[in-house]
Amino acid sequence: MLVTFADNDRSKKADESGFNKIGYLTRSGLVIFPRRYRLVRENLSKIVKLPHALFQISEDFGTENVERFFTENFQTLDLFDLGLSAILNNDIAYFINPLKLPCLSPIDNITRGDRWLSLKALVIEGDLLCVFDTKSLFSRIISKVDRGPWSHSALCTMEKTIIEAITSGVCERPLDVYSASHYRVGLYRFRSNVSNKNKKDALEFMRSKIGQPYSYKKALFVGIQKFLHKPRFAPTPNDLAIHPDLDLITYV
């Protein structure tokens, strides 16, 4: 269910209905909605004290999937807006795979190992690999600034290798470099509307960059843009993960 209401947040102007906010009402009675540059959760009992209106989401969306989208993802403003836009534009297909930025709950090494083998077996050329290193302070800083679970991304090849930009430069390495238990990994795949030519072009572009040094200046600039909520000239790992043409296949 969606809730529209009016509060005193001056950063969001009211529309013709007189409401300036729209939020998602979870089954637990929490309303998730944006407040300035962050998402907040408040009890419905507090929201209904304000001028408000409730709207039922069509069952065609699959209410279970919509609930999972808003409660099981690492919710960001960008992801919230994409989900809300899908509902308002009747884009039912968007919620077929509701997990986009999974909350990375702790897992034991055995479970992690089994999931890794399953992920590895599913990899095809053109897939996107998103990574978080639980032992790296640098990885934690990036994911915090990027407001999502991931801190790094790489492209998968037909040979079960990955092409990525690491601190030593752009390189091609075996997929198994991320088999260690301290890595959390998500496998994303482009939807069928993205042509094989576009995927191959992306791979060839990355291959053409192999050997080039890591651009600390570019990474810092993009990070500052994200931190200041400015438009970015290059996508971050979590920007890529929520691209409408990508689906999360599995994660460890």
Side-chain angles (χ1 to χ4, degrees):
M1 185 172 288
L2 297 181
V3 186
T4 58
F5 59 97
D7 67 5
N8 59 3
D9 183 357
R10 294 181 180 178
S11 67
K12 297 286 287 185
K13 292 183 178 180
D15 59 20
E16 61 275 5
S17 69
F19 300 129
N20 67 331
K21 290 292 177 67
I22 183 167
Y24 174 77
L25 174 61
T26 70
R27 292 176 181 173
S28 63
L30 291 176
V31 180
I32 304 171
F33 63 95
R35 179 178 290 157
R36 293 187 181 274
Y37 295 122
R38 63 191 180 97
L39 288 175
V40 296
R41 292 164 173 78
E42 290 189 356
N43 287 317
L44 179 62
S45 58
K46 185 174 181 179
I47 299 298
V48 296
K49 295 177 181 178
L50 303 168
H52 72 281
L54 299 174
F55 297 91
Q56 190 70 44
I57 298 172
S58 170
E59 292 186 2
D60 293 340
F61 282 96
T63 54
E64 185 67 34
N65 281 355
V66 175
E67 178 77 5
R68 291 188 67 199
F69 174 86
F70 285 103
T71 60
E72 295 183 25
N73 278 307
F74 190 111
Q75 277 296 335
T76 66
L77 279 172
D78 289 339
L79 184 58
F80 180 86
D81 286 344
L82 285 171
L84 193 60
S85 177
I87 293 173
L88 297 177
N89 291 308
N90 204 36
D91 182 7
I92 295 172
Y94 184 75
F95 295 99
I96 292 175
N97 295 303
L99 290 185
K100 314 293 183 180
L101 294 176
C103 296
L104 301 177
S105 302
I107 55 173
D108 60 79
N109 289 342
I110 294 176
T111 303
R112 199 271 177 200
D114 290 342
R115 287 191 189 178
W116 171 254
L117 292 176
S118 297
L119 181 151
K120 187 176 175 181
L122 291 170
V123 169
I124 62 174
E125 183 181 44
D127 283 352
L128 179 74
L129 210 68
C130 289
V131 182
F132 175 72
D133 184 353
T134 61
K135 287 187 175 181
S136 168
L137 177 61
F138 188 48
S139 189
R140 291 182 183 279
I141 292 172
I142 292 174
S143 66
K144 188 172 183 63
V145 172
D146 198 15
R147 302 182 184 92
W150 311 119
S151 61
H152 179 65
S153 60
L155 272 178
C156 301
T157 74
M158 186 182 297
E159 296 78 21
K160 299 279 185 175
T161 62
I162 50 174
I163 303 175
E164 57 185 344
I166 57 177
T167 53
S168 59
V170 182
C171 62
E172 184 170 357
R173 302 195 292 171
L175 181 65
D176 277 333
V177 295
Y178 293 118
S179 63
S181 60
H182 60 91
Y183 290 115
R184 305 301 301 270
V185 184
L187 180 66
Y188 291 82
R189 182 166 299 158
F190 286 97
R191 293 185 171 184
S192 57
N193 61 313
V194 178
S195 70
N196 289 330
K197 182 181 183 303
N198 287 342
K199 298 173 191 176
K200 289 184 180 295
D201 287 347
L203 277 169
E204 289 307 311
F205 174 78
M206 286 297 293
R207 277 205 168 97
S208 72
K209 300 296 182 181
I210 290 177
Q212 292 190 7
Y214 184 80
S215 179
Y216 288 94
K217 182 178 180 180
K218 178 179 176 181
L220 178 62
F221 184 52
V222 172
I224 291 173
Q225 287 181 310
K226 188 73 179 266
F227 183 76
L228 296 176
H229 303 274
K230 301 291 185 181
R232 295 171 289 286
F233 74 88
T236 64
N238 293 293
D239 289 340
L240 290 170
I242 64 172
H243 192 285
D245 288 333
L246 279 171
D247 283 323
L248 177 64
I249 303 302
T250 188
Y251 68 98
V252 300

